[in-house]
Amino acid sequence: MDAGFRMLCAYDSAPQCFSQWPTVVLEVGVSESYQKLRADADWWFANLQGAVKVVIIVTISQKKEEEEEKKKKKNLMITFETIILDRAMSLRPLPHLRRRYKTITRQKITTSREPGRSEHSAPITVCSDESLLIKFEEAFARQPIPPELDLLLEPDQLRTTSRHFWEVRNLVC
């Protein structure tokens, strides 16, 4: 599933409001491999003349347990990863590479839940208890005007998002 978000402006004085391309793209994969999602993210950066500022890759997976008695169970995991252009590398020519830019992972946050427990008794763990950041300038292609701030998805919001997804996909027992 792909989704893009672009600015809608209430005023006509900002030329950046007329971009037909999104500034933030969401790539979600349940059956797609991580490599395919990363290639999709690279496509957004390579083909839209710098309009895309951040791609959020959301990978939904079930990780097999290593322990012998838990072999039939799989941990439920969702990874939220923000991909951005590496400005230092993107400004220099890269003659040995076909593409003239480099992407980097700014953040990678994983939520997980043990399977086989009821929806309310299975805690959702957020690895690295930090907020997912989308800088205001990335989303709106301009500097914030106070009180405007960066967009933050707090750990509790990531837990709720994960819980809703698992409920919809019937992955909670």
Side-chain angles (χ1 to χ4, degrees), residues 100-154:
R100 295 192 166 275
Y101 68 92
K102 183 176 185 245
T103 58
I104 58 173
T105 298
R106 178 173 55 207
Q107 276 184 292
K108 195 172 195 173
I109 301 172
T110 301
T111 60
S112 62
R113 163 184 267 163
E114 288 183 33
R117 296 174 71 180
S118 74
E119 171 185 340
H120 301 291
S121 67
I124 296 175
T125 304
V126 179
C127 178
S128 75
D129 205 29
E130 62 181 292
S131 299
L132 187 77
L133 168 70
I134 301 171
K135 293 182 180 178
F136 186 92
E137 298 88 7
E138 295 167 343
F140 298 102
R142 66 174 177 80
Q143 294 295 314
I145 300 168
E148 298 171 330
L149 299 170
D150 292 336
L151 308 171
L152 295 173
L153 290 173
E154 303 289 336

Side-chain angles (χ1 to χ4, degrees), residues 34 37-39 41-42 45 53-59 79-87 99 102-110 128 130 132-133 135 138:
Y34 174 77
L37 293 171
R38 191 63 193 241
D42 286 344
F45 286 115
K53 305 300 181 201
V54 63
V55 176
I56 302 169
I57 294 177
V58 181
T59 310
T79 302
F80 302 85
E81 182 176 359
T82 53
I83 310 295
I84 59 171
L85 284 176
D86 181 352
R87 293 288 176 202
R99 63 182 189 203
K102 183 176 185 245
T103 58
I104 58 173
T105 298
R106 178 173 55 207
Q107 276 184 292
K108 195 172 195 173
I109 301 172
T110 301
S128 75
E130 62 181 292
L132 187 77
L133 168 70
K135 293 182 180 178
E138 295 167 343

Side-chain angles (χ1 to χ4, degrees), residues 34-50:
Y34 174 77
Q35 291 77 14
K36 169 73 169 95
L37 293 171
R38 191 63 193 241
D40 290 347
D42 286 344
W43 183 91
W44 286 105
F45 286 115
N47 290 289
L48 299 181
Q49 298 83 37

